Amino acid sequence: MVKLASAREARMYGPHLSRNRTEYINAGLYLFATLVLLGGFVSQFSREPRSGLVLLLIALLLIIMVNLHDLLAHLAGIDYRLPLMEYDLQLALVEFAVPFVQTLGSLLLFLGVLFLFIQENKGDGFYKLEKHGLNMLIAGPFLWVLGSIHNSCQIYERADVHLQILQQSVHIPFLMGSVLFTVGAILNARDQSGRVVHHGLQLLGGNWVWFGIFGSLFLVIGGFTNLIKVFKMQQIDGLRLEKLRGGAQERLFQERDGQVPLILEENRRRRREAEEARLAPAPTPYKDVLVGQTQV
């Protein structure tokens, strides 16, 4: 999985029209990135497989940009106040953790492909990059799988059945694609651990390419359904998908309106009393007072 399928009613950043336009661009850019990713794997069977690595690098860079947008969009919804996450489990474990983990996984996969590309072009002297590259090809998709599992842990109070089906139609292809990428990378590392030593593009065996092709197909399907879901949610303005009450955004709105929840108010009162007690001068012991009076 390389894209967050958000369950929030609406992302709270920027004016309404520009926000909707940005969401459309974000979903469309991700779908385009998955198509480029698929083309990169298919190009490994061409006469110039290095061009396929270039396509893979471009696709992964676009995916990193998409996930960074998701991360910043959700942080903007709480004015980048990270302490509010302790009151919103979904915001912390899904809407912050998923794009962060996916960005990290995409970055590792980008670096892994880049290391192999550099070794292929430069040749001798860059063999140390090969081992790191193969390890990153495993670590990146593994983080995608972890993010896919987190992405399925979204909390609803009530939601329209149609939109829940769309949510699952996004989650399942992303999870399947991430698993295929991980399995392909593990099998490829196992194939390269034999007696025959390979270098450069020869390190990318048939298992890695074929699993990458089928994994990319699942990501294309997930990206297409995600685009449909975004269009549906923008048309209905999120009214059929209700977010969990009492979350970070609701607490932020209450603070802005001066309606601070009792728990927050109690915590602030205790901190204020502790600060006043720390700054107050210490009382003079009774024994010292008696000694002072005797001396007088």
Side-chain angles (χ1 to χ4, degrees), residues 45-275:
F45 295 111
S46 66
R47 295 182 178 179
E48 188 59 39
R50 282 186 296 183
S51 62
L53 293 183
V54 175
L55 291 177
L56 292 178
L57 292 174
I58 295 175
L60 292 171
L61 186 61
L62 293 176
I63 290 173
I64 291 174
M65 294 173 56
V66 167
N67 281 287
L68 285 177
H69 166 268
D70 289 337
L71 179 62
L72 295 177
H74 289 113
L75 290 181
I78 57 172
D79 285 349
Y80 304 97
R81 299 183 184 182
L82 298 182
L84 289 176
M85 289 187 184
E86 64 178 302
Y87 305 108
D88 197 328
L89 186 63
Q90 176 171 298
L91 180 65
L93 296 182
V94 178
E95 298 179 50
F96 175 79
V98 170
F100 178 78
V101 171
Q102 301 300 344
T103 301
L104 184 57
S106 301
L107 180 61
L108 290 176
L109 191 53
F110 176 87
L111 293 176
V113 175
L114 180 63
F115 286 171
L116 296 180
F117 181 77
I118 293 175
Q119 199 282 327
E120 175 68 19
N121 289 332
K122 299 299 183 180
D124 298 339
F126 291 87
Y127 292 140
K128 292 183 179 180
L129 295 179
E130 295 179 350
K131 182 178 180 180
H132 297 299
L134 290 177
N135 292 332
M136 290 180 179
L137 292 182
I138 299 176
F142 178 79
L143 290 178
W144 284 1
V145 173
L146 180 62
S148 300
I149 296 174
H150 274 232
N151 199 30
S152 62
C153 300
Q154 300 195 26
I155 304 169
Y156 303 93
E157 279 196 342
R158 59 179 181 267
D160 184 82
V161 176
H162 179 62
L163 285 181
Q164 289 198 58
I165 294 175
L166 286 176
Q167 285 283 88
Q168 296 303 319
S169 65
V170 175
H171 293 162
I172 295 176
F174 283 164
L175 178 59
M176 293 298 297
S178 302
V179 170
L180 288 176
F181 276 112
T182 305
V183 173
I186 293 175
L187 292 178
N188 181 68
R190 182 180 178 182
D191 294 339
Q192 302 304 327
S193 61
R195 296 181 179 180
V196 181
V197 179
H198 298 288
H199 299 287
L201 291 178
Q202 295 179 349
L203 292 172
L204 303 177
N207 286 329
W208 186 78
V209 176
W210 280 111
F211 275 92
I213 290 175
F214 288 111
S216 299
L217 286 174
F218 275 105
L219 296 186
V220 171
I221 295 173
F224 182 72
T225 54
N226 180 70
L227 183 62
I228 296 176
K229 181 186 71 67
V230 170
F231 177 78
K232 290 290 185 180
M233 292 186 68
Q234 297 296 342
Q235 292 297 318
I236 63 177
D237 198 22
L239 296 178
R240 291 155 61 185
L241 186 61
E242 184 175 348
K243 66 184 179 182
L244 184 68
R245 296 182 183 274
Q249 287 183 354
E250 184 173 335
R251 290 179 180 273
L252 179 62
F253 296 153
Q254 290 175 342
E255 287 187 1
R256 288 174 176 174
D257 297 337
Q259 301 174 356
V260 182
L262 295 178
I263 297 178
L264 293 179
E265 183 65 25
E266 179 67 17
N267 291 337
R268 290 180 180 179
R269 185 183 63 82
R270 291 179 180 179
R271 286 197 297 266
R272 185 168 57 251
E273 291 178 353
E275 184 69 17

